[in-house]
Amino acid sequence: MYSYNEFDTAFLAERNQQFRMQVERRISGELTEDEFKPLRLMNGLYLQLHAYMLRVAIPYGTLDSAKMRKLAEIADRWDRGYGHFTTRQNIQYNWPELRDVPDMLEALSEVGMHAIQTSGNTIRNVTADHFAGAAADEVADPRPIAELLRQWSTDHPEFQFMPRKFKIAITGAESDRAVIRAHDIGIQLIEKNGAIGYRVIVGGGLGRTPMIGKVINDFVHEADLLPYLESIVSVWNQIGRRDNKYKARIKITVHEHGIEDIRERVEARFALVKPRFEGIDQALLAEIKDQFVDPDFKAADTAVFDTAYATDPIFRSWADTNLAAHKSPGYAIVQISLKAHGATPGDATSDQMRLMADLAERHGHNELRISHEQNVILPHVHKSDLPAIHRALKEQGLATANIGLISDIIACPGMDYCALATARSIPVAQQIATRFDDLKLEHDIGDLKIKISGCINACGHHHVGHIGILGLDRAGVENYQITLGGDHTEMAALGQRTGPGFSAEEIIPAIERLVQTYLEIREGREETFLQTYRRVGMEPFKAALYPAAAVAAE
Amino acid sequence: MPKAFTPKVVTANHLLKGDVIYQTKSGWSRTLSDAEVLEDEAHADLRLIEASQQTGEVVGAYLTDIIIENGALNPKHFREDFRATGPSNYFHGKQEAGSNV
């Protein structure tokens, strides 16, 4: 894992001191809110419905135990004893007071963390596959490149005042767990003729105009990647629309100009940019790679795991649902669900954070990850340690066996917190999870991803949910639109709207009718909801959602 | 024909704490029931201007509709209802602080 060097530490200390002075000047009245707002946003500080909100970056979702413990300490000392992990692998604190924020940032800097560029029209926190460095299906670990991008994009002088925000995601596996096709730039690390390179996708994004990204270059050599990405951002920074914020993202630029035109412009720019790099980035990348070597995986038998798996049905259910294949024999990737039935998706208490830090230190080579699906990952766990981990997780309410199931819901904060929201998300997620837990159906239903956004900005990724739910304000009443068939993976697809929305009271029964329809028409348990939808299309589900309309049409 | 002016209050967030506050006749309160009810459009605009000038104390002042029922002030829109109450997933915010206002 990357450790800050002297330059990083000095830079962060200077930025924090700058922000401390800016806060003081705001409080003394030397700065107006109009002057202060862009400064606080550059440091991740929003003003939400009930309080300020501090968004802290977790670069490419990677943490160690010390960082996780610091997040817990901050939650206790300056917030309400919990934090909210987001779809961008960040953590948000919902209740800080303005005077305390410089101290919070200083505490973060003690473990090499910050909130820089978690807001504003800049390149945001680079996200990555949450199984990076551990997945059995990975070509190579994408985190060294992600760290290189973090260093390149942080305070990049050309990219501080762009048309809009800019999000980059990277994966090292063919199986896309990082939603790379719904980012401004998506990067897939690939191997061709024995050489490592990068497939670069551009112009994806969700929000009010959702688009699946297009391949701008199928293979960029490693030495060319950074100048190539700089060329993309530079071209967009020059020709991206600044007249209308809703048309400013690069997806609109690609849509309006066409991918061929953008490709030509990027190539022309690349010819100018490339010579300036002079190999410094490659020297830096080599240094970074040295910090992402595999831990010393142990060789041990798995008898303890095998016995628990054979004799303890609760452990077996958890193991079947929450573990993923690891690249090293005898190891597993543990997915800790932050989706206990009825809990707020993505929230972890400080005690839970400390437990996860302890488990990572004791059993997980001191590594943790945050997934874009708002769960926590222990990427490197030997199977012999899994029964002990499961017991410890149970004591803190963290052993819910529901990864990838109907209650493993992505939900944005919605109108319970967010100033932009048009309806609540969290209660809808809570009620769906509770309802299907009561029905004891979720393991029978199987793989089903519900994603909920509380406004058109789509932080809850509803467009790529198998079932997407979008909360809107319809004449002063919360109303929920449903989309079906979305997919965030390498088969990326945008969900299609079913029809009119549902009230807050109607939305849970509507979801239940959808799921019941799926159970009735699927061709066996092995056919997932998404596969059934792709086979039969929208009509059976529409008929279930709008029975009166179906009768009228007969 | 212009719409008839409906009762409003001025609301904002507190600069230091960030929490929801309401303009009263003599200052600010964290309780909606203390708010100055504005029933005349010109007066409401004037009070909003005055609130917006208090940049050392408040952030983002705006007018919001209220409904008066049996003398009690209630937010007209559900967004304002959440602001006046707190989030629905935890007993945090005004619902928790109610007795401390």
Side-chain angles (χ1 to χ4, degrees), chain A residues 30-57:
Chain A
E30 287 177 68
L31 289 178
T32 66
E33 185 60 22
D34 284 346
E35 290 166 330
F36 180 63
K37 186 176 177 181
L39 301 174
R40 66 170 162 79
L41 289 176
M42 282 179 186
N43 290 282
L45 186 63
Y46 288 74
L47 185 53
Q48 299 282 56
L49 282 192
H50 312 291
Y52 286 98
M53 179 271 282
L54 182 65
R55 179 182 292 156
V56 176

Side-chain angles (χ1 to χ4, degrees), chain A residues 457-468:
Chain A
N457 293 307
C459 294
H461 292 191
H462 66 276
H463 295 295
V464 290
H466 303 167
I467 298 175

